[in-house]
Amino acid sequence: DGGITQSPKYLFRKEGQNVTLSCEQNLNHDAMYWYRQDPGQGLRLIYYSQIVNDFQKGDIAEGYSVSREKKESFPLTVTSAQKNPTAFYLCASAPLAGATNQQFFGPGTRLTVL
Amino acid sequence: GNSVTQMEGPVTLSEEAFLTINCTYTATGYPSLFWYVQYPGEGLQLLLKATKADDKGSNKGFEATYRKETTSFHLEKGSVQVSDSAVYFCALSDTGGYQKVTFGTGTKLQVIP
């Protein structure tokens, strides 16, 4: 089945530690995205990538880093510089060319900083 | 810049009641409009979409019409079920080269038996 997988589903981190969230898609989509979701707020864009080896900052990139070495994979690292990292993180992908611009979402990773 | 405003929740309805969740937007050009649904602990799923003015998106008994004159895309369902309890997000997408999506803050719907 085609889709987007995120792992792990739940992640706990101590303050001062970096942690990497995985996102993989087998939809052959060119574009991939990372969003952060906090209670009562909409989705905020962290980073996005339209092609391999290229990515752009979104609205709240500070304290995060990404890589796009393969078309299928777009891991997100939450660094110790992120002041309030506890949140629900969503990865999404989309065909770069398409009339509908629909995004497809993974199941999310809930990160908790202890 | 683009923005999406949707009614705050939670919205609590009895089963079989009529549902309306309001959504208005601000955008340049001719964006595509979407409703996504998020069940507890899950990612977002596309519920319906409309890509041009006067289009009506529909799915699973939900409907929304792209109204350019009022810049609105209200979500409606004639008879809600307990299984419809979720958070609903209105969103728009640029038609430019980078398909940035702007989301509303979400409206939580609770349907009680």
Side-chain angles (χ1 to χ4, degrees), chain B residues 4-7 21-25 33-35 70-75 89-91 104:
Chain B
V4 175
T5 302
Q6 58 183 110
M7 60 190 290
I21 300 178
N22 291 335
C23 172
T24 57
Y25 68 90
L33 301 175
F34 307 86
W35 277 101
T70 55
T71 61
S72 65
F73 193 55
H74 305 321
L75 182 68
F89 290 91
C90 185

Side-chain angles (χ1 to χ4, degrees), chain A residues 13 15-18 36 44 46 60-64 77-87 89 111 113:
Chain A
R13 186 194 97 175
E15 281 193 33
Q17 289 181 335
N18 293 354
R36 170 179 172 140
R44 293 185 288 170
I46 304 172
I60 56 164
E62 184 176 352
Y64 300 97
T77 296
V78 184
T79 76
S80 56
Q82 169 50 232
K83 297 179 181 178
N84 185 20
T86 294
Y89 290 88
L111 172 64
V113 174

Side-chain angles (χ1 to χ4, degrees), chain A residues 2 10 13 16 18 23 32 39 53-54 65 73 77 80 101 103 106:
Chain A
Y10 298 96
R13 186 194 97 175
N18 293 354
C23 178
M32 297 187 74
N53 293 323
D54 185 55
S65 65
S73 179
T77 296
S80 56
N101 303 344
Q103 293 189 358

